[in-house]
Amino acid sequence: AWTLIGLVLPMAVMVFGTFQNTFGLWDTGLTLRWWRESLSDAAVLRSVKNTLVLGFMVATVGTTLYGLMSYIYLRTKLKGRVGIEVLSWVPRMAPGIIMAIGMFWALLGGVPGLKALYGSLIAMALVVLIEATPSGMRLLNGGMVQLSSELEEAARVSGASWRRTMTRVVMPLLAPTLLNSWLLLFLTATRALVVLLFIFRAGSKVLSIDIFTRMLTGEMQEAVVLGVILTAISMLIAVFARIVAMRQRREMEVTAVG
């Protein structure tokens, strides 16, 4: 019942709304006009491209960065490693709008050399990565804690280098966690709005911002179409990630049996 009311029903209404002449009015007839206009709009296609680029950038860089931070905190004895854990909570302590304003001023001259990045997807990815640090670190920490350090020690005793230990022992066992982290960060980036409002330009607009601006200007039907497109992209990426995860699980089971 919850799945029907909380997930299926709102999505069904939104999809049906993309075919209405007037969104929310059920007796105004059906049309493909809004889909034709949206899919033929170069600005919409650019927003889709920017969304995918931003999502892949944040997911890949974030998973690598948070994985390294988690490894340093839980697996090494470096001085100051506890500071990584403490600082990783800072973005959660400040409201998203404050983070956005802070980055806005930093890019406009507060930090030397960053002005050139203003309005770029790189700057937008940086903001999302900062905001996603708490959840990213917690997810990677959970996976790292479950991985016994004795496996790494056994590999090192057997003569494996640190690099070989990481690529042959740690990363394969952490693969499910890394994949979940990648998916979570991708979805976080594609849905980000508040933290991006102050630092985007027309050429770097993503779907979440495009939806917001169209709703403000009364283009409700186009906004709903873009919302369905964004949801479809997220669902396809999630399904692909699940397929990869299941394939990895089968390969690990075959290896274990063999």
Side-chain angles (χ1 to χ4, degrees), residues 17-249:
T18 64
F19 299 104
Q20 294 177 304
N21 279 299
T22 303
F23 183 76
L25 299 181
W26 303 88
D27 57 351
T28 56
L30 302 178
T31 179
L32 291 173
R33 171 189 171 188
W34 312 117
W35 280 99
R36 285 196 300 265
E37 292 184 358
S38 297
L39 295 178
S40 62
D41 189 341
V44 171
L45 299 180
R46 183 170 58 248
S47 294
V48 172
K49 176 184 175 182
N50 289 340
T51 300
L52 290 172
V53 172
L54 180 65
F56 278 95
M57 191 185 306
V58 170
T60 304
V61 175
T63 299
T64 304
L65 177 62
Y66 302 148
L68 181 60
M69 292 169 61
S70 178
Y71 185 86
I72 292 174
Y73 171 60
L74 294 172
R75 285 291 193 269
T76 69
K77 297 182 179 180
L78 294 176
K79 293 182 178 180
R81 67 185 185 279
V82 177
I84 296 177
E85 172 70 7
V86 175
L87 291 176
S88 69
W89 283 104
V90 173
R92 189 63 68 195
M93 300 175 186
I97 189 69
I98 300 300
M99 295 290 296
I101 294 175
M103 183 57 67
F104 172 73
W105 283 112
L107 291 171
L108 285 185
V111 179
L114 289 184
K115 191 173 183 178
L117 295 178
Y118 179 75
S120 67
L121 289 175
I122 295 177
M124 296 169 71
L126 178 61
V127 174
V128 177
L129 283 170
I130 293 174
E131 196 213 8
T133 301
S135 55
M137 274 287 290
R138 302 294 82 70
L139 181 58
L140 269 300
N141 282 353
M144 193 72 70
V145 167
Q146 296 179 55
L147 183 62
S148 175
S149 60
E150 295 177 355
L151 297 173
E152 297 175 62
E153 295 171 359
R156 298 299 293 272
V157 169
S158 299
S161 62
W162 181 85
R163 179 180 177 182
R164 189 173 181 83
T165 301
M166 291 296 295
T167 56
R168 291 300 185 91
V169 178
V170 177
M171 292 184 65
L173 293 175
L174 277 179
T177 302
L178 294 174
L179 185 60
N180 286 333
S181 171
W182 193 97
L183 177 59
L184 175 65
L185 291 174
F186 181 90
L187 298 178
T188 300
T190 56
R191 292 180 49 173
L193 175 61
V194 175
V195 294
L196 301 180
L197 284 177
F198 291 90
I199 58 174
F200 79 94
R201 287 178 175 172
S204 61
K205 186 181 291 185
V206 293
L207 282 174
S208 59
I209 295 175
D210 209 350
I211 293 169
F212 180 71
T213 55
R214 287 176 187 270
M215 290 181 66
L216 289 180
T217 56
E219 301 174 75
M220 184 61 70
Q221 287 85 354
E222 293 90 337
V224 175
V225 169
L226 298 187
V228 172
I229 292 174
L230 178 56
T231 303
I233 291 174
S234 300
M235 291 179 65
L236 288 174
I237 294 296
V239 169
F240 177 75
R242 291 301 95 199
I243 292 174
V244 173
M246 288 188 293
R247 182 174 298 178
Q248 287 182 334
R249 188 177 298 112

